[in-house]
Amino acid sequence: MIESIGFTGGIIAAQLTIQNARYQVTVHQEDDRAWLQIGVKVGPAWETVVVTGAWDATTIWNPDRILKCEDPDVAFRDPADSEFTMEVATYRWAERQGSQLALQGTFGSHALTTYVSVTPHQGVRFVTQLELTTETQLARCFNHLYFAPQGKLARSCDPLDFAWLPGLHKKASHVCADHFFRAPLVVVVARGRYAALIPDLDIFSVTRDLPHALDLRVTDTLLEGPRLSYGLCASEVDGHVYFDHRPAAAPTLPAGELMYAFNLHVGRCAAPAEVTRHLSAALWQQYGRPLMAAPQPQVLPFAVYGDRYTFRHELPASVRYAQVAGDEGAGIENKRRHGANFHAWENDMHVGYGLRHYGQRRNSPTLRRIADGILHLMRAAPRRQGAFPCIYNFDEAQYEGTLFWTARSVDARHGYDTGAMSVTMWWLLKWIDDFPELDAPALLNLAAEYCTLLMDLQLISGAIPTYLQSDLASAAQLKESATTAISGAVLAQCAFLLKQPEYTRAAIRAGHYIENQVLPGLRFNDFETFYSCSPKPLHAMDYWSGICPHNNLSMQWACDMYLALYRRTKEITWLESGEFLLSVLSLYQQVWNPSHLPGHLFGGFGVMNTDGEWNDGRQARFSTTYADYYAVTGEPEYMERAIAACRSSFALMDIAENHANHINSVEMPHLGAGQGYAPENIHHRGRDTGYGWSGMNWSSAGGLAASAYLERRWGAVYLDVAARQAFAIDGVTVQVATWTEDAVSLNIASALRDLPLPYREAREITLRAGGWERLDRDPADLNLTLNGEGPFAWTPELQEDGLRCQLPA
């Protein structure tokens, strides 16, 4: 049965409603307009959260009320027109068609219908269909929704408790273009309610030739409330990196039908953390997890990327040796960055972790020599009360303070950088954890000396300044910033290892600073936010959305800090904050294989909300953070994201296997075509495939460090005995045949055999198991059958070393 309402004029009030157990959508038609009211069930009643119209004051100075509706706005140009026409496709007819509502409007000679339905899991679903009667250049068609908790507008949501938009505005005409659709959504939270708009990526993929965009406005809107928008929108890159709505860039479409769709999630919440955790998990469940069944973008075993390419070509061309402090030092030479870097970006201690692991695994004297040399080069840096320079300039045979262009406002050559020093120390602590053959007491003494410096620098607020002059005086720039997080992480981890109460107190103070001053507004304002390729003033803010510019490197640092604080104190609030921030970081991970950009990009990461990178080299660092959270929480999503990030770290390599398996088409003839070099990222400047190699650290060597970390701790296959789940990590498939209280039967095979260009060599892999602490059981209780062989008792030796097994050719 179809019920309809509509009129030719006058004020007539009517309504139609659809609902399920959670959501209710009512279309009101009055004063020749149709508008929506969307609510959620609260006890026995319904509570409004989102509207598309309202009876509102004529102006803020005139209390007389009029009906204001934000219907889809359309910009188009028909063949006979010389200029674009901007119209509102006013909904003047509505009907209920079974379980959905249909709202109909027109623009020019064309028609527009929005279908609205309620679903159990995807929220309120909107599908907008356009019927073009002639060939048309379509520049824009946006649906708009207003956040109105308890039906209140008039700026009642000011200030928002939380807001998210993947790409910000620098001027009024900017939009969040589909270039930022890594895990696309727009979210607002206030007064214990939330609204989130998520594009339907499946329908987007069908209409990939049409430019889409998201938007969020908290000012300059028809109604006085936050406005969430999505639809078709022609845009072009503007600056570095924003997107400007430009009608001239619009495609010309033939007569016919086209559509776009999105899902609206609304509800009540106790805190923003509930919302981001739910939404990031939902995106992963819908798009990311199904892609984990295939190995791509991985096309080789992790170690083979090194053996065939990185260790054969890039490493010999990049490594350089120097005699320092009476012994041989080694580093990854980067001429553009003045030499070997122990910086917050490129850090040889991170790359050296992978070299040391694979040196041991391959029994390679060359890799072991380089790893030892990297450690010595870091240790030999001259100290000043624990502070040390973070670049070794091979040409000048001396150390420099930090990377010159990121600290150009202070003394980059002779000063110090706590972000760089703390990242170096963080990875030194990882070396101490995972390489027992090292002289741990001597290395911990270096870390302790550095922690003393951090405590001396710490401000009353708990912040730790970023930049130091040559005399250790704090620079004004970023004196109180999110860089504090990585220093807090080092303090907390050293407190855990050395059981020093003063380190614990300093780490907690740093944690409270991040918790109170940075996390609430996502003010992750480290050096990259302001001083790199997307420059902006330190006071920058998006005027139209109210969102601060931020960089996700310091987000990761804060996640590491929160987890280290939890490990040290066992206070659950630190872990809760860490998981909240990890869910925000997850909104930068590419949860799908985008249909509108070339390359197999699933699993990689972007950088910040004012830049355009895909598959940036930092994903190798992020992999370890997600894996660490999995180790503590047992949440499978974290391990899956860690594996996906690690695999994506090899996706841009210039190798025949990537090209033949449709992972990328990147060729770098200026560096040796096909020899494994990888750009720092891709699609950096917009919808092009522009890229550039910035050094070995931010190339595949970072991926090898990430894969080394996963292999040392979780193997190529990992059994979580508490969750009864098997993770396929390194190019394998794992099928659980049976799993009982004391026995597991697995079938493991190569996942790389059936690719267009397959890998079919025999190899040895390591299977590890864990999660016993969540079961309060002895590992020896488990019997394992593998590919029909066994059972093997899971002895303490296997728990220590893992089970080695052969995969045939």
Side-chain angles (χ1 to χ4, degrees):
M1 177 179 178
I2 296 178
E3 297 178 71
S4 63
I5 49 178
F7 355 74
T8 58
I11 299 178
I12 304 174
Q15 66 181 42
L16 299 169
T17 297
I18 56 173
Q19 65 186 47
N20 61 12
R22 177 174 171 78
Y23 299 106
Q24 182 185 76
V25 181
T26 299
V27 56
H28 299 271
Q29 189 130 15
E30 48 192 330
D31 198 20
D32 204 13
R33 304 289 297 276
W35 56 280
L36 293 172
Q37 182 179 11
I38 300 169
V40 293
K41 196 71 173 288
V42 180
W46 293 97
E47 181 181 287
T48 299
V49 182
V50 167
V51 298
T52 64
W55 284 91
D56 194 16
T58 306
T59 68
I60 59 174
W61 303 279
N62 186 342
D64 295 338
R65 297 202 309 158
I66 60 172
L67 181 60
K68 298 178 181 178
C69 300
E70 190 90 40
D71 297 319
D73 60 272
V74 188
F76 65 100
R77 187 173 68 84
D78 290 337
D81 300 332
S82 59
E83 301 289 338
F84 279 88
T85 300
M86 183 70 178
E87 284 190 18
V88 175
T90 303
Y91 293 133
R92 298 196 183 279
W93 188 272
E95 62 184 24
R96 181 166 49 213
Q97 300 176 351
S99 60
Q100 70 179 2
L101 299 171
L103 291 81
Q104 301 166 347
T106 61
F107 58 99
S109 63
H110 315 289
L112 178 150
T113 305
T114 297
Y115 299 94
V116 185
S117 57
V118 290
T119 70
H121 306 296
Q122 293 182 311
V124 181
R125 181 163 175 78
F126 288 74
V127 179
T128 294
Q129 181 173 302
L130 290 79
E131 297 180 17
L132 304 180
T133 58
T134 63
E135 182 182 87
T136 302
Q137 192 175 9
L138 185 64
R140 177 183 173 101
C141 181
F142 257 12
N143 285 79
H144 303 292
L145 302 168
Y146 280 91
F147 185 47
Q150 298 175 292
K152 297 178 181 178
L153 291 164
R155 301 187 62 172
S156 63
C157 292
D158 288 356
L160 289 169
D161 297 328
F162 178 87
W164 175 266
L165 184 68
L168 300 189
H169 314 82
K170 198 173 182 180
K171 59 187 183 184
S173 57
H174 284 162
V175 293
C176 176
D178 52 33
H179 183 79
F180 300 102
F181 283 15
R182 304 178 187 96
L185 77 164
V186 53
V187 186
V188 289
V189 181
R191 311 299 181 263
R193 282 82 179 168
Y194 72 92
L197 188 160
I198 304 177
D200 185 314
L201 295 178
D202 295 323
I203 290 182
F204 174 90
S205 296
V206 174
T207 58
R208 56 178 292 180
D209 294 330
L210 296 175
H212 290 58
L214 285 166
D215 204 12
L216 170 64
R217 306 275 170 147
V218 297
T219 187
D220 294 348
T221 53
L222 178 67
L223 299 174
E224 287 196 295
R227 188 185 72 184
L228 294 71
S229 307
Y230 176 64
L232 308 176
C233 185
S235 62
E236 291 183 334
V237 68
D238 182 24
H240 196 106
V241 171
Y242 302 89
F243 277 81
D244 197 20
H245 170 45
R246 293 178 185 169
T252 298
L253 305 174
E257 294 184 354
L258 62 136
M259 70 171 63
Y260 58 89
F262 62 89
N263 297 318
L264 175 71
H265 294 251
V266 297
R268 291 162 63 101
C269 62
E274 292 180 25
V275 180
T276 57
R277 184 71 194 100
H278 167 69
L279 295 174
S280 63
L283 283 166
W284 187 256
Q285 172 73 23
Q286 183 174 0
Y287 297 109
R289 185 161 288 151
L291 292 175
M292 293 296 294
Q296 291 99 322
Q298 184 181 3
V299 295
L300 293 171
F302 291 141
V304 176
Y305 286 112
D307 293 341
R308 284 190 185 178
Y309 296 104
T310 307
F311 301 151
R312 180 175 295 182
H313 301 292
E314 198 170 2
L315 180 60
S318 299
V319 70
R320 192 165 172 182
Y321 301 93
Q323 287 293 315
V324 290
D327 207 342
E328 182 182 71
I332 307 303
E333 167 77 298
N334 189 322
K335 291 285 190 181
R336 187 182 176 205
R337 304 187 186 203
H338 287 197
N341 276 245
F342 297 94
H343 186 253
W345 276 335
E346 300 199 25
N347 196 293
D348 285 4
M349 287 298 291
H350 180 240
V351 168
Y353 181 100
L355 297 177
R356 190 170 198 92
H357 167 78
Y358 286 110
Q360 292 176 347
R361 173 175 167 171
R362 292 294 197 249
N363 193 24
S364 167
T366 299
L367 295 183
R368 290 200 301 267
R369 175 192 175 193
I370 297 171
D372 287 342
I374 287 172
L375 181 60
H376 179 66
L377 193 67
M378 185 278 296
R379 294 181 66 177
R383 260 63 180 178
R384 181 177 183 135
Q385 298 177 35
F388 56 95
C390 290
I391 291 175
Y392 183 79
N393 189 321
F394 290 103
D395 291 340
E396 298 182 8
Q398 64 180 9
Y399 289 88
E400 296 180 10
T402 189
L403 185 59
F404 61 96
W405 81 75
T406 65
R408 60 190 179 275
S409 61
V410 293
D411 188 355
R413 191 171 181 88
H414 303 104
Y416 303 94
D417 176 350
T418 60
M421 292 186 290
S422 292
V423 168
T424 302
M425 282 296 159
W426 181 252
W427 277 96
L428 176 65
L429 296 174
K430 295 289 189 186
W431 283 50
I432 293 169
D433 269 351
D434 288 353
F435 302 123
E437 71 277 7
L438 296 175
D439 184 358
L443 297 178
L444 284 172
N445 284 339
L446 284 180
E449 185 183 11
Y450 181 65
C451 286
T452 300
L453 170 72
L454 293 178
M455 291 189 296
D456 290 341
L457 292 171
Q458 192 167 36
L459 306 176
I460 294 174
S461 64
I464 295 171
T466 300
Y467 296 123
L468 309 177
Q469 307 292 355
S470 60
D471 62 357
L472 301 185
S474 302
Q477 294 83 352
L478 300 180
K479 190 171 185 177
E480 294 182 281
S481 77
T483 309
T484 296
I486 185 60
S487 295
V490 170
L491 284 164
Q493 186 65 8
C494 282
F496 179 78
L497 294 173
L498 298 172
K499 304 297 185 287
Q500 291 289 345
E502 63 269 30
Y503 297 169
T504 304
R505 289 191 291 269
I508 289 173
R509 290 178 61 204
H512 284 312
Y513 170 77
I514 297 295
E515 184 79 5
N516 298 326
Q517 302 300 320
V518 177
L519 187 62
L522 297 184
R523 298 178 183 275
F524 287 92
N525 49 351
D526 59 56
F527 71 96
E528 190 174 5
T529 318
F530 305 109
Y531 295 132
S532 189
C533 57
S534 181
K536 57 191 73 71
L538 294 174
H539 60 267
M541 177 178 282
D542 180 345
Y543 173 84
W544 291 271
S545 71
I547 297 175
C548 295
H550 60 240
N551 174 43
N552 61 16
L553 197 59
S554 53
M555 283 188 182
Q556 181 224 5
W557 296 342
C559 290
D560 288 338
M561 178 200 69
Y562 281 127
L563 192 63
L565 280 168
Y566 171 70
R567 283 171 163 163
R568 176 64 181 124
T569 67
K570 298 303 180 185
E571 294 179 8
I572 194 65
T573 54
W574 295 121
L575 182 60
E576 291 170 347
S577 292
E579 290 195 89
F580 166 39
L581 187 53
L582 198 67
S583 69
V584 177
L585 181 64
S586 297
L587 300 180
Y588 277 106
Q589 189 169 25
Q590 296 143 210
V591 300
W592 65 311
N593 228 354
S595 56
H596 61 305
L597 295 171
H600 196 298
L601 302 177
F602 166 62
F605 274 82
V607 171
M608 60 177 108
N609 54 9
T610 58
D611 216 339
E613 298 96 333
W614 288 64
N615 266 61
D616 191 76
R618 70 196 59 211
Q619 59 217 358
R621 303 263 191 92
F622 294 178
S623 175
T624 63
T625 297
Y626 280 97
D628 286 347
Y629 269 82
Y630 167 75
V632 170
T633 66
E635 171 52 57
E637 180 189 330
Y638 299 155
M639 178 55 83
E640 291 168 348
R641 286 183 179 274
I643 296 166
C646 181
R647 290 173 177 173
S648 71
S649 300
F650 302 98
L652 299 186
M653 291 179 72
D654 179 8
I655 57 176
E657 293 86 349
N658 273 344
H659 306 330
N661 289 312
H662 313 297
I663 305 303
N664 74 48
S665 57
V666 172
E667 293 184 355
M668 310 189 79
H670 59 295
L671 293 170
Q675 292 187 353
Y677 287 82
E680 177 183 327
N681 49 58
I682 199 166
H683 308 311
H684 190 155
R685 300 173 183 87
R687 291 193 179 97
D688 57 49
T689 56
Y691 56 87
W693 181 79
S694 62
M696 180 178 160
N697 300 59
W698 234 222
S699 180
S700 60
L704 288 165
S707 65
Y709 193 77
L710 292 179
E711 182 173 72
R712 291 192 76 85
R713 298 184 178 214
W714 291 278
V717 176
Y718 182 71
L719 298 186
D720 185 326
V721 297
R724 294 195 176 186
Q725 183 169 358
F727 292 96
I729 297 174
D730 186 5
V732 297
T733 61
V734 184
Q735 293 181 332
V736 178
T738 59
W739 199 314
T740 64
E741 190 67 25
D742 58 0
V744 180
S745 178
L746 299 176
N747 294 311
I748 300 177
S750 172
L752 308 175
R753 292 175 53 84
D754 299 321
L755 299 172
L757 181 58
Y759 178 85
R760 291 180 175 170
E761 298 180 20
R763 63 184 175 118
E764 183 182 77
I765 65 168
T766 301
L767 182 148
R768 294 187 177 276
W772 314 99
E773 68 283 354
R774 305 202 306 274
L775 288 176
D776 193 24
R777 274 184 52 190
D778 186 339
D781 292 343
L782 183 71
N783 289 300
L784 175 65
T785 301
L786 186 61
N787 290 345
E789 296 184 6
F792 306 99
W794 198 259
T795 64
E797 290 76 21
L798 287 181
Q799 185 63 22
E800 178 69 22
D801 300 327
L803 175 65
R804 304 292 177 88
C805 52
Q806 298 292 325
L807 294 183

